[in-house]
Amino acid sequence: PEPGRCAHFVLRKRRFCRMIPAPGRRFCGEHGHEEEQNDRKRIPCPLDPKHTVYEDQLQKHLKKCNSREKPKPVYFVQDINAGLKDVAEIPKKQVPLSSLSIEELQNLITRLKKASNGLELHLKEQILSHKALQEALSDPKNGESAFKHLKQQASILGNMERLHLLGPGRCFVEFGAGRGKLSHWVDIALENVESVQFLLVERATTRFKVDGKHKRRDSTFERLQVDIQHLCLNKVPILEKKKLPVVGIGKHLCGAATDLALRCLVESYTTCCDGKNEEPAPKRCRAAQTEVAPHESAGNESTTEDHKPVAGIVIALCCHHKCDWTHYVGREFFKSVGLGPVEFHYFQRMSSWATCGMQETTGKASTSEDSEDQTHDTEEHEHTHSRTASGSDTLQGILSVEERKELGCLCKRLIDHGRIEYLQQQGYKAALQYYTEAAVSLENVLLTAVPNPSVIPEPTI
């Protein structure tokens, strides 16, 4: 062990523990049971068995343990954005994709192609940039990875500017914020704009946050540590007080988180929330639709007390293999083309073929198809070399690498089209576009939505 460090060897990490023991001790408090200390016994913490505690200090520890249940914030409403409430619709046992026979797989592919027939599969390119990032993009100190992320952020800001979403008197809600880099650049782009609020939604604690870099008086950064599934924006104090139009943004918002964010914005935020888990209204009210035209200047106050507008949505999509039928907003679209939760399960698995680096995994069967890490991934969710549901022996001899990639892309577009139809039914003009090159990111599709201008009345003269 290093001088002054714990003498316990951590087998899992193949190194000594780096904690500092008390003076005169060889081991830290966590591993103190390895040396005699008056026969005091250490037991696993009942709140989190990953750490231990002295048995005679258990009650004291439970009062300050970081794993204890903390008071819920006022904007926490259980499952308000969860979606499906009828669990009977979810199949109890889902058969892995690798267990399908060749005939079953071919039938599934036929149904996929039939459901995709007539959909807009060739997306328009909207690869833009923004002057706020020009200096950073030209900085030679940035490595290749940083440069790729900057290009994506620049294009997202460019698309926001194209939709007239970068304006004063607005609240930008970044879902899956991570370190908050996207909000950071939006704030820089709005340098001379007044009354701007940022809400950074992230369920996990995050290190190296950039929030502290923002000292402007006219912009305020606030973190909401909550799962999007339980977030009621109506109850966030700053939005209750100022009633600001909201712009929902996200960079590589993972799987089901996109569906939760969409429902959070266009249902629970535009419907009065009284704390009960009520069924949200199927249509947005006319007042909410008419207040947030993309070309209109948004003020600090909405014209109605009951409905707060959503000015726009700009989300870079990601990780379709982590979507969930329970939360998916496009269930009605799937049913309209003769598909259901079983097909959705297979299509979301097959979607990983588009980005999983099939060249590396061909012939290597996935041993645990449903065991990928469901925790919050790294900020950018790159899946170039993912091995999820990709190397099934069933695929050998019937599908080439290019065919699998094409089918994976088809699954992504089908899932995304359900999201587009959902937004259109809620009164939005929604679209998908490529916002960066595939060489920069394989997850290069951006979903944008603004209130449909057809419902905006002509101004009176």
Side-chain angles (χ1 to χ4, degrees):
E2 298 177 17
R5 302 288 178 172
C6 177
H8 173 79
F9 187 78
V10 186
L11 287 175
R12 182 172 59 87
K13 297 185 177 180
R14 299 180 182 180
R15 61 167 174 79
F16 285 95
C17 174
R18 292 173 179 165
M19 297 297 288
I20 301 174
R25 301 289 186 185
R26 293 182 59 238
F27 296 91
C28 67
E30 182 66 24
H31 304 115
H33 59 279
E34 296 187 21
E35 60 181 339
E36 297 230 7
Q37 293 188 9
N38 300 325
D39 295 326
R40 295 177 71 191
K41 182 182 178 182
R42 290 189 73 87
I43 60 173
C45 173
L47 298 178
D48 181 5
K50 291 181 181 179
H51 66 274
T52 60
V53 60
Y54 284 116
E55 189 174 28
D56 58 1
Q57 291 186 335
L58 177 60
Q59 295 306 316
K60 181 180 178 181
H61 170 79
L62 292 177
K63 294 178 181 179
K64 60 180 182 180
C65 179
N66 288 333
S67 298
R68 71 190 186 281
E69 186 175 358
K70 300 175 179 63
K72 297 290 189 291
V74 292
Y75 45 79
F76 181 98
V77 178
Q78 185 72 35
D79 294 330
I80 186 171
N81 305 313
L84 186 64
K85 296 178 177 63
D86 184 10
V87 294
E89 192 175 324
I90 308 298
K92 292 182 179 179
K93 186 177 181 181
Q94 295 178 330
V95 180
L97 189 63
S98 56
S99 300
L100 296 180
S101 66
I102 293 177
E103 291 75 18
E104 289 173 324
L105 183 62
Q106 288 176 332
N107 179 57
L108 197 62
I109 293 171
T110 300
R111 300 191 69 182
L112 170 64
K113 291 181 177 179
K114 182 180 178 181
S116 304
N117 189 30
L119 300 185
E120 181 56 55
L121 302 176
H122 301 287
L123 306 184
K124 184 179 179 181
E125 282 193 356
Q126 292 285 0
I127 302 175
L128 307 175
S129 190
H130 195 280
K131 59 183 180 181
L133 289 96
Q134 291 309 306
E135 184 178 347
L137 284 167
S138 58
D139 189 347
K141 295 180 181 179
N142 286 320
E144 182 181 359
S145 177
F147 181 70
K148 287 182 177 180
H149 298 328
L150 288 168
K151 286 196 71 173
Q152 294 173 69
Q153 289 154 347
S155 185
I156 291 174
L157 261 68
N159 277 279
M160 291 176 68
E161 188 172 54
R162 175 178 63 86
L163 296 171
H164 307 281
L165 296 177
L166 295 176
R170 289 180 177 174
C171 178
F172 294 87
V173 182
E174 184 179 357
F175 294 95
R179 294 171 59 193
K181 280 293 190 69
L182 184 56
S183 292
H184 164 79
W185 289 115
V186 172
D187 186 53
I188 290 177
L190 297 173
E191 186 177 2
N192 299 317
V193 174
E194 297 180 352
S195 302
V196 179
Q197 172 77 32
F198 291 90
L199 295 177
L200 279 62
V201 182
E202 177 59 68
R203 67 181 180 185
T205 51
T206 308
R207 301 175 67 194
F208 310 117
K209 299 183 285 289
V210 298
D211 313 17
K213 296 182 179 180
H214 303 273
K215 305 297 183 182
R216 287 201 301 126
R217 289 182 180 178
D218 294 329
S219 66
T220 306
F221 277 70
E222 181 181 349
R223 277 195 172 259
L224 307 180
Q225 189 174 340
V226 62
D227 194 306
I228 305 170
Q229 182 171 333
H230 313 300
L231 172 61
C232 180
L233 285 176
N234 276 324
K235 289 182 171 292
V236 177
I238 188 68
L239 293 177
E240 267 194 322
K241 180 181 178 181
K242 294 189 176 182
K243 299 180 176 61
L244 297 172
V246 161
V247 178
I249 60 177
K251 180 170 180 281
H252 289 189
L253 192 56
C254 191
T258 294
D259 300 297
L260 295 172
L262 293 179
R263 193 175 283 108
C264 175
L265 289 165
V266 306
E267 288 188 27
S268 65
Y269 185 55
T270 53
T271 303
C272 278
C273 173
D274 60 1
K276 298 178 182 178
N277 197 1
E278 297 180 349
E279 193 71 39
K283 297 287 183 180
R284 297 184 341 121
C285 72
R286 187 176 183 86
Q289 291 172 329
T290 57
E291 290 170 351
V292 290
H295 56 273
E296 289 185 89
S297 176
N300 288 343
E301 300 291 333
S302 63
T303 57
T304 63
E305 287 296 322
D306 294 334
H307 297 278
K308 307 179 182 74
V310 174
I313 302 169
V314 180
I315 294 175
L317 303 174
C318 181
C319 305
H320 294 72
H321 66 279
K322 288 189 177 181
C323 289
D324 190 305
W325 179 258
T326 305
H327 305 312
Y328 182 50
V329 296
R331 291 193 303 269
E332 292 304 316
F333 162 70
F334 257 62
K335 292 175 182 177
S336 71
V337 292
L339 303 174
V342 175
E343 292 81 8
F344 181 83
H345 165 71
Y346 289 127
F347 292 161
Q348 52 121 172
R349 308 300 301 174
M350 291 163 62
S351 71
S352 66
W353 294 353
T355 57
C356 67
M358 290 297 297
Q359 289 86 344
E360 293 190 11
T361 59
T362 303
K364 299 178 183 178
S366 177
T367 56
S368 57
E369 183 177 326
D370 296 306
S371 64
E372 8 20 78
D373 185 9
Q374 294 298 318
T375 58
H376 189 73
D377 291 340
T378 54
E379 184 180 8
E380 305 308 332
H381 306 261
E382 296 294 350
H383 291 283
T384 309
H385 304 293
S386 168
R387 286 176 167 76
T388 60
S390 55
S392 171
D393 291 334
T394 310
L395 307 178
Q396 291 191 37
I398 62 171
L399 294 175
S400 67
V401 170
E402 285 304 315
E403 286 174 327
R404 283 176 290 215
K405 183 178 179 181
E406 182 180 343
L407 289 171
C409 290
L410 205 58
C411 291
K412 283 177 174 284
R413 297 293 79 79
L414 189 68
I415 292 172
D416 290 339
H417 186 80
R419 291 163 169 167
I420 293 297
E421 284 216 354
Y422 165 79
L423 288 168
Q424 289 172 344
Q425 290 170 2
Q426 297 290 333
Y428 286 84
K429 181 180 180 182
L432 298 168
Q433 52 261 310
Y434 293 118
Y435 77 102
T436 191
E437 301 89 349
V440 173
S441 175
L442 292 174
E443 298 283 14
N444 61 341
V445 174
L446 188 71
L447 183 152
T448 61
V450 291
N452 196 331
S454 64
V455 300
I456 300 173
E458 294 294 329
T460 55
I461 301 177

